[in-house]
Amino acid sequence: MNILHIDSAITGEDSVSRKLTAEIVSRLRAANPGAGVTYRDLNTGVPAIDTDWFKAVRLAPANPTAEQQALVATSDAYLREVQDADVLVIGSPVYNFTITAQLKNWLDQIARAGISFRYTEAGPEGLLKGKRAIIVYSAAGTPMGSEMDFASGYLRFMLGFLGITDVEFVAADRLAYDREAGLARAHAAMDRLAA
């Protein structure tokens, strides 16, 4: 088993999502001795896609410049980590009712037509099939699944668009109102996860 462990919180050691993703990865490794883990901390910076990225990655010039080659290499590295993973454990704290900018940038980097998805006569088809995603949803005041939650539905849809349809959530929400209850719900959800 290959595990891709992704964190995106900006709050460092105080991050609830970071603590919970680490615990999930620990449980997966305990149940699957020999599992490999690739760790990616998106808070260290994920380049946003822009016109230069589009010209380098999407248009794929025959003779790319050194700068274009670097942009392609970065995007390829993110995508390769996902392609190589059997399980993705993604920390997704909610900031301003949605996912972090870093996590959105990462999704933009790996959404590559012809590589991670393609358009067919029947509609779009995700090409990253056969993977499982466990998402830690942490929020101070945004209940998961509520009308103000623009994070969980987007993540489920976007991963499904890329072919990852086995998506489970561990929610530590409403932490500003009752932190202990929110953490207890998250740990109960972790206990229900199949290792």
Side-chain angles (χ1 to χ4, degrees), residues 89-139:
V89 178
I90 302 172
S92 180
V94 175
Y95 300 154
N96 301 317
F97 312 106
T98 191
I99 64 174
T100 66
Q102 298 90 325
L103 185 53
K104 174 65 166 67
N105 288 348
W106 177 80
L107 287 165
D108 287 343
Q109 288 280 356
I110 67 169
R112 306 256 305 267
I115 302 175
S116 57
F117 71 93
R118 66 181 174 184
Y119 294 109
T120 71
E121 291 181 4
E125 177 189 6
L127 301 176
L128 300 176
K129 298 175 183 175
K131 300 176 188 307
R132 175 187 185 195
I134 303 169
I135 300 171
V136 172
Y137 174 105
S138 64

Side-chain angles (χ1 to χ4, degrees), residues 21-81:
T21 59
E23 187 171 343
I24 291 168
V25 169
S26 178
R27 291 183 183 204
L28 289 171
R29 292 185 74 187
N32 300 277
V37 178
T38 299
Y39 181 70
R40 176 72 74 169
D41 185 352
L42 303 183
N43 190 47
T44 61
V46 179
I49 62 172
D50 58 12
T51 302
D52 291 337
W53 184 93
F54 177 78
K55 289 179 178 177
V57 178
R58 289 283 172 90
L59 298 184
N63 297 302
T65 65
E67 292 80 9
Q68 289 175 327
Q69 290 174 14
L71 290 169
V72 171
T74 297
S75 186
D76 284 351
Y78 292 128
L79 185 53
R80 192 174 309 107
E81 289 174 350

